Amino acid sequence: MARHMHPWRTGKNLFDLLSQLPNFGVGRIVTRGKWLHQFPNEPCYYRITRVKVDCTKPELNSGEAWGIPTMRGYSRPNNEAQIGSAWKREWKLIRKSEEEEFTAYTPKETDFHEVPTHCKVPPLLAEMMKRDQQAQGQEVRDDEPILMKLKISQGFRSRAYQMSDKVVVMDETVQTDV
């Protein structure tokens, strides 16, 4: 019985592509067929920065590669990441003549979301913290809520950001879209 293969999984793996290029493709742009299918109007790719090839393999088709990722047109500067899924047979090399056109995309401001930097501590935890402060002889103020710092993922797939110069407190009312 034949297994169904997606059209983006019938290409070459990453090291099959890189082993045929000078300097193992450092400086070139590679993308996955899945990304081309999922986000046709927003480019997702890696710009190869360094490659460590497993020289024990005669075909030089395995190893590790690092690059600067761009997901849906957005990349964080100086964010080199190890390329995962290098073994999957869906990688495509972008021609040098097409690189400028492929990477010419500016993300819209509406694609990014400012998230709060702090939120109020739950009431039970706040009471426990106040009792601990009283037991240690510290001054307890009831007029100011106790805030907890939030930290968001700063990975290359994240489109959320926090303003570091101001404190933004999360609202108590949470709206959900139904």
Side-chain angles (χ1 to χ4, degrees):
M1 182 175 201
R3 196 175 124 206
H4 175 69
M5 292 295 289
H6 290 286
W8 61 78
R9 292 195 181 137
T10 57
K12 295 184 174 188
N13 73 25
L14 182 62
F15 286 95
D16 286 341
L17 291 174
L18 298 180
S19 64
Q20 298 173 1
L21 298 172
N23 201 15
F24 288 103
V26 172
R28 298 293 301 270
I29 293 178
V30 292
T31 187
R32 290 175 59 185
K34 181 179 180 179
W35 294 338
L36 293 173
H37 181 72
Q38 281 182 328
F39 311 110
N41 299 326
E42 301 169 318
C44 300
Y45 58 89
Y46 278 97
R47 184 173 296 275
I48 305 293
T49 55
R50 58 187 168 122
V51 177
K52 181 181 171 187
V53 179
D54 185 6
C55 295
T56 61
K57 306 278 178 148
E59 293 87 25
L60 300 176
N61 62 354
S62 65
E64 297 175 345
W66 291 266
I68 298 174
T70 300
M71 285 303 289
R72 299 177 72 181
Y74 178 70
S75 65
R76 297 184 188 274
N78 302 324
N79 186 21
E80 184 182 58
Q82 186 172 3
I83 300 174
S85 305
W87 66 90
K88 292 188 177 180
R89 304 189 87 51
E90 59 177 332
W91 288 93
K92 298 191 182 327
L93 177 70
I94 305 300
R95 295 181 179 156
K96 279 193 172 187
S97 61
E98 298 172 359
E99 280 184 3
E100 189 173 326
E101 180 185 343
F102 186 76
T103 60
Y105 175 81
T106 306
K108 301 175 215 94
E109 277 189 38
T110 57
D111 292 342
F112 301 96
H113 311 285
E114 183 179 356
V115 295
T117 57
H118 293 79
C119 71
K120 292 181 181 177
V121 175
L124 183 60
L125 183 59
E127 286 299 318
M128 291 171 56
M129 291 172 75
K130 287 177 185 178
R131 286 184 184 168
D132 286 345
Q133 288 176 347
Q134 286 174 346
Q136 294 175 358
Q138 296 177 357
E139 181 183 337
V140 178
R141 298 184 62 176
D142 290 331
D143 58 339
E144 290 184 12
I146 300 175
L147 299 178
M148 178 172 48
K149 183 164 176 42
L150 297 176
K151 185 175 180 182
I152 62 165
S153 170
Q154 293 293 318
F156 65 91
R157 287 187 176 95
S158 174
R159 290 181 164 210
Y161 64 93
Q162 290 176 316
M163 302 298 285
S164 60
D165 57 342
K166 65 179 182 175
V167 174
V168 179
V169 179
M170 182 165 41
D171 294 336
E172 292 178 353
T173 58
V174 178
Q175 296 178 356
T176 58
D177 295 333
V178 178

